[in-house]
Amino acid sequence: MTVRDILKGEAPTDFRAIERALAAQDDRCAEAEAVLSALILRRRTEGDAGLYGALTSADCARRIAFLAEHLRAVGARRAAAAVRALRARLPDAARSSPGAVLEALDELPDILPLCRSLDEDMAGIAAAIEDYLRQCPDDVLNAQVTRSGPLSRLRRLFD
């Protein structure tokens, strides 16, 4: 199964499978990197965690330096603006290091209310990702979706 197959399938789109497929690629193109960043942020901002929860996760904090650009590239402009606004509040050192991001979050008491106020801007990410994916080059759309877990490893023995 490929990313293209998932997009042609029934709703809701399995974004987690697409994220796994793109993350498994060794040499990702710029489009794949942008989609992967947006997918990670989308997954991390779901539920009660919101934008603050996303920033406390290593995979989002690692991408903080270019996350806003990636969101803008996939068409999630409100989310990109929210990440830029949040990033502007972080000290310079925190803008490039995941550890420094976490330290800065502890040191800035007004970050949590700011994140909560920006959470609603994360709402359009899924639709933007799906629209962007439909226009991506074949190397993104042909990424193979791999299954994880003990049964998938067993299946691979017999393939």
Side-chain angles (χ1 to χ4, degrees), residues 77-107:
R77 299 200 190 300
R78 287 182 62 200
V83 169
R84 267 194 304 280
L86 182 59
R87 193 166 173 260
R89 290 284 300 123
L90 297 174
D92 289 339
R95 294 180 186 184
S96 59
S97 166
V101 169
L102 295 175
E103 287 176 23
L105 293 177
D106 284 341
E107 295 170 6

Side-chain angles (χ1 to χ4, degrees), residues 126-149:
I129 292 169
E130 196 160 347
D131 290 344
Y132 183 77
L133 275 170
R134 293 184 192 287
Q135 303 167 36
C136 277
D138 285 341
D139 55 340
V140 175
L141 295 172
N142 292 334
Q144 292 290 319
V145 176
T146 57
R147 302 282 180 215
S148 61

Side-chain angles (χ1 to χ4, degrees), residues 4-31:
R4 179 178 279 119
D5 297 331
I6 292 172
L7 291 172
K8 288 180 182 176
E10 294 181 22
T13 302
D14 187 355
F15 288 115
R16 186 66 181 118
I18 295 171
E19 182 182 335
R20 279 195 314 271
L22 295 178
Q25 288 183 319
D26 291 328
D27 190 26
R28 288 185 288 272
C29 63
E31 293 88 349

